[in-house]
């Protein structure tokens, strides 16, 4: 590990001594600051919220935007606790698990398991919880700063998932792992590259949607479960959710499969709406009319 990353690791360890409630308070302040500045993140978030909650008037939209930005700030500040405390200590913050029987049944079936984990709640804590239950590989794109990978290996320790790069060789690795009855994790709302996705509705508006997850499910027969770690009020901890995939996600017709995939993300988001990362530009793609400001596209 590079010396600067090691110093950052020591800082995380020190700050992790702070109570989660205090860290969430700091994150709330960060979210309010971002809201006050009205930068690109806030503008994109507001555009997405108008699509997802069209029934709200201007005051309702502003109140929801404030709640979402506060949760976005908390998602940043809580990483100090989740990374700095270490995986096992961080898992002590899990207060409840809903749907655990779904995962038990899927693992027992031996046909492979695909965990679809949207950008919702505390996904790093979710990784810890899943890796405690079963070895897992996750599809990822390398960080822009390569040295961060060493930091991630250090903080995750024995509960680190196998990281598979999002390229041809990595996808083949996922197929092999599922064929052997293993478990893989994928971000189902990750915007694919141009030409690599399918247009499907997401909260009532067409969005570019990944086809990799439905193809993996169709070709391997693996069970797909949606999962996320919900942030509980007042820094009291987290609740793990596991949900079944909507019917049709493994359909041979990619249009139908991607509609089911987006519905699965929506089903998860509706359980913790403000904790979704609404700043992502899901509705911007070739052939679609972008809802974002021209300078934000």
């Amino acid at each position: 590990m590079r010396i600067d990353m090691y110093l950052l690791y020591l800082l995380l360890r020190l700050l992790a001594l702070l109570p989660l409630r205090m860290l969430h308070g700091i994150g709330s302040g960060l979210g309010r600051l971002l809201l006050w500045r009205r930068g690109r993140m806030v503008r994109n978030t507001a555009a997405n919220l108008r699509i997802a909650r069209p029934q709200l008037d201007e005051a309702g939209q502003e109140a929801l935007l404030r709640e979402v930005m506060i949760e976005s700030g908390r998602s940043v500040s809580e990483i100090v606790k989740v990374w700095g405390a270490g995986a096992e200590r961080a898992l002590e913050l899990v207060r409840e698990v809903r749907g655990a029987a779904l995962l038990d049944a899927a693992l027992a079936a031996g046909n492979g398991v695909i965990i679809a984990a949207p950008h919702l709640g505390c996904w790093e804590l979710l990784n810890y919880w899943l890796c405690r239950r079963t070895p897992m590989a996750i599809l990822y794109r390398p960080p822009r700063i390569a040295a961060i990978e060493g930091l991630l290996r250090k903080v995750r320790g024995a509960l680190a998932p196998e990281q598979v790069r999002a390229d041809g060789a990595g996808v083949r690795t996922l197929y092999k792992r599922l064929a052997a009855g293993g478990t893989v994790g994928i971000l189902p709302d990750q915007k694919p590259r141009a030409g690599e996705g399918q247009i499907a509705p997401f909260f009532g508006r067409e969005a570019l949607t990944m086809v990799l997850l439905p193809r993996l499910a169709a070709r391997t027969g693996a069970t797909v479960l949606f999962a996320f770690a919900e942030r509980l009020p007042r820094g009291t901890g987290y609740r793990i959710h596991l949900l079944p995939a909507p019917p049709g996600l493994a359909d041979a017709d990619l249009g139908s499969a991607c509609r089911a995939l987006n519905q699965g993300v929506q089903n998860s988001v509706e359980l913790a709406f403000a904790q979704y990362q609404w700043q992502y530009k899901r509705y911007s793609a070739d052939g679609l009319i972008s809802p974002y400001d021209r300078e934000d596209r």
Side-chain angles (χ1 to χ4, degrees):
M1 185 187 299
R2 269 178 18 184
I3 184 63
D4 56 343
M5 290 295 107
Y6 186 72
L7 292 175
L8 178 57
Y9 168 72
L10 293 179
L11 179 61
L12 287 172
R13 295 284 290 180
L14 179 63
L15 293 177
L17 297 174
L18 296 174
L20 181 62
R21 184 169 184 171
M22 182 180 295
L23 290 170
H24 277 171
I26 294 170
S28 298
L30 173 61
R32 291 187 177 93
L33 176 62
L34 291 171
L35 181 63
W36 174 76
R37 293 188 62 188
R38 292 281 167 166
R40 180 175 299 179
M41 175 190 291
V42 175
R43 294 196 299 271
N44 290 339
T45 299
N48 287 332
L49 293 178
R50 286 192 292 270
I51 293 169
R53 288 291 187 264
Q55 71 275 20
L56 295 179
D57 60 14
E58 185 175 350
Q61 289 285 345
E62 187 64 24
L64 181 59
L65 177 62
R66 178 179 179 273
E67 184 182 359
V68 168
M69 293 312 303
I70 286 174
E71 292 295 342
S72 294
R74 290 171 179 168
S75 73
V76 174
S77 62
E78 70 191 5
I79 287 297
V80 169
K81 195 74 169 180
V82 176
W83 284 355
E88 292 295 345
R89 290 288 302 276
L91 282 170
E92 294 175 4
L93 296 169
V94 175
R95 307 302 181 204
E96 182 184 359
V97 179
R98 297 183 178 177
L102 294 172
L103 179 60
D104 292 339
L107 293 173
N111 297 322
V113 182
I114 300 173
I115 299 294
H119 291 86
L120 177 64
C122 186
W123 51 85
E124 191 68 24
L125 185 67
L126 175 68
N127 277 343
Y128 289 163
W129 186 86
L130 290 167
C131 288
R132 178 192 268 179
R133 301 292 299 274
T134 180
M136 186 175 71
I138 60 172
L139 190 68
Y140 87 115
R141 291 175 182 169
R144 294 179 181 178
I145 303 174
I148 291 178
E149 291 198 50
L151 174 64
L152 291 177
R153 286 193 295 271
K154 180 71 173 177
V155 298
R156 288 169 174 167
L159 293 182
E162 177 188 353
Q163 295 187 142
V164 178
R165 290 176 179 264
D167 55 24
V171 171
R172 289 191 292 273
T173 297
L174 296 185
Y175 275 111
K176 292 177 181 177
R177 193 179 190 96
L178 290 171
T183 302
V184 304
I186 299 178
L187 297 168
D189 49 354
Q190 187 78 48
K191 186 177 176 181
R193 297 185 181 92
E196 296 182 359
Q198 175 83 25
I199 300 299
F202 181 60
F203 279 94
R205 184 172 177 134
E206 298 293 279
L208 187 61
T209 304
M210 71 152 55
V211 297
L212 173 60
L213 196 155
R215 282 175 172 166
L216 281 171
R219 295 179 185 178
T220 65
T223 300
V224 180
L225 297 175
F226 285 78
F228 69 98
E230 178 188 4
R231 193 175 302 117
L232 297 176
R234 296 179 296 279
T236 53
Y238 300 86
R239 178 185 294 122
I240 302 291
H241 293 265
L242 293 123
L243 293 81
L249 194 148
D251 200 294
D253 177 72
L254 284 177
S256 298
C258 288
R259 283 193 294 273
L261 178 66
N262 282 346
Q263 186 60 56
V265 176
Q266 285 186 219
N267 293 345
S268 300
V269 171
E270 292 292 359
L271 296 175
F273 187 88
Q275 296 183 28
Y276 189 59
Q277 297 297 296
W278 285 105
Q279 68 265 32
Y280 290 110
K281 295 182 285 185
R282 282 297 309 273
Y283 303 105
S284 178
D286 291 342
L288 298 179
I289 298 175
S290 175
Y292 311 108
D293 295 340
R294 183 172 298 276
E295 62 269 24
D296 293 338
R297 296 177 190 174

